[in-house]
Amino acid sequence: TSWCKDYIAHEVLERNWRSGHCTVRRLTGHRDGINCLCVSNDLVVTGSDDHDLRVWDVHASDPKTSAASHVLSQHQGKVVCC
Protein backbone atom coordinates (compact mmCIF):
# COMPACT_ATOMS: atom_id res chain seq x y z
CA THR A 1 0.00 0.00 0.00
CA SER A 2 0.97 3.63 -0.41
CA TRP A 3 1.46 4.34 3.31
CA CYS A 4 3.79 1.36 3.57
CA LYS A 5 6.03 2.61 0.73
CA ASP A 6 6.05 6.10 2.29
CA TYR A 7 6.96 4.66 5.69
CA ILE A 8 9.83 2.60 4.26
CA ALA A 9 11.13 5.58 2.26
CA HIS A 10 11.04 7.72 5.42
CA GLU A 11 12.90 5.06 7.41
CA VAL A 12 15.60 4.74 4.73
CA LEU A 13 15.99 8.53 4.58
CA GLU A 14 16.25 8.82 8.35
CA ARG A 15 18.77 5.97 8.56
CA ASN A 16 20.93 7.54 5.83
CA TRP A 17 20.77 10.95 7.52
CA ARG A 18 21.77 9.58 10.93
CA SER A 19 24.61 7.45 9.53
CA GLY A 20 26.06 10.32 7.46
CA HIS A 21 25.18 8.78 4.08
CA CYS A 22 23.87 12.06 2.71
CA THR A 23 25.10 15.06 0.76
CA VAL A 24 24.40 18.64 1.79
CA ARG A 25 23.89 21.06 -1.10
CA ARG A 26 23.33 24.77 -1.20
CA LEU A 27 20.71 25.67 -3.79
CA THR A 28 21.38 29.22 -4.95
CA GLY A 29 19.18 31.48 -7.02
CA HIS A 30 16.14 32.69 -5.11
CA ARG A 31 16.22 36.39 -4.25
CA ASP A 32 13.81 36.10 -1.32
CA GLY A 33 12.55 33.60 1.25
CA ILE A 34 11.50 30.09 0.23
CA ASN A 35 7.90 29.21 1.12
CA CYS A 36 7.68 25.62 -0.11
CA LEU A 37 9.87 22.73 -1.10
CA CYS A 38 8.84 19.49 -2.85
CA VAL A 39 11.03 16.48 -3.61
CA SER A 40 10.42 13.86 -6.28
CA ASN A 41 13.19 11.37 -7.01
CA ASP A 42 16.18 13.48 -8.16
CA LEU A 43 14.25 16.75 -8.50
CA VAL A 44 13.66 19.45 -5.91
CA VAL A 45 11.10 22.20 -6.58
CA THR A 46 11.06 25.42 -4.55
CA GLY A 47 8.62 28.33 -4.49
CA SER A 48 9.56 31.73 -3.15
CA ASP A 49 8.51 35.25 -2.21
CA ASP A 50 10.50 36.37 -5.27
CA HIS A 51 7.59 35.13 -7.48
CA ASP A 52 9.71 32.28 -8.91
CA LEU A 53 9.32 28.53 -8.95
CA ARG A 54 12.67 26.77 -9.42
CA VAL A 55 13.39 23.17 -10.38
CA TRP A 56 16.67 21.66 -9.24
CA ASP A 57 18.24 18.41 -10.48
CA VAL A 58 20.27 17.23 -7.49
CA HIS A 59 22.72 15.28 -9.68
CA ALA A 60 23.26 17.96 -12.34
CA SER A 61 26.20 19.97 -11.02
CA ASP A 62 28.76 20.67 -8.32
CA PRO A 63 27.81 18.81 -5.12
CA LYS A 64 28.39 21.88 -2.93
CA THR A 65 26.49 24.48 -4.97
CA SER A 66 23.71 23.95 -7.47
CA ALA A 67 21.85 26.26 -9.82
CA ALA A 68 18.27 25.64 -10.86
CA SER A 69 17.81 23.66 -14.06
CA HIS A 70 14.51 25.46 -14.78
CA VAL A 71 13.06 28.75 -13.53
CA LEU A 72 9.36 29.49 -13.86
CA SER A 73 9.14 33.22 -13.24
CA GLN A 74 6.75 36.14 -13.54
CA HIS A 75 4.07 34.71 -11.25
CA GLN A 76 1.59 37.35 -10.13
CA GLY A 77 2.64 36.98 -6.50
CA LYS A 78 4.54 34.93 -3.99
CA VAL A 79 4.69 31.20 -4.72
CA VAL A 80 3.36 29.48 -1.59
CA CYS A 81 3.01 25.86 -2.75
CA CYS A 82 4.59 23.73 -5.46
Side-chain angles (χ1 to χ4, degrees):
T1 61
S2 179
W3 71 266
C4 186
K5 289 179 185 177
D6 290 343
Y7 177 79
I8 291 170
H10 178 268
E11 288 297 310
V12 169
L13 179 66
E14 187 170 334
R15 190 175 329 120
N16 287 342
W17 182 261
R18 288 179 187 216
S19 65
H21 293 95
C22 59
T23 302
V24 176
R25 291 183 182 232
R26 182 183 181 108
L27 305 176
T28 58
H30 280 295
R31 298 174 311 278
D32 213 331
I34 293 175
N35 297 317
C36 60
L37 179 139
C38 301
V39 178
S40 178
N41 297 320
D42 294 337
L43 297 178
V44 175
V45 179
T46 55
S48 171
D49 287 344
D50 64 8
H51 301 199
D52 289 349
L53 189 77
R54 293 178 181 262
V55 180
W56 317 83
D57 181 344
V58 297
H59 296 296
S61 61
D62 180 2
K64 293 183 180 171
T65 305
S66 296
S69 59
H70 298 357
V71 179
L72 306 166
S73 59
Q74 301 179 351
H75 290 276
Q76 295 297 318
K78 300 175 181 181
V79 179
V80 295
C81 72
C82 37

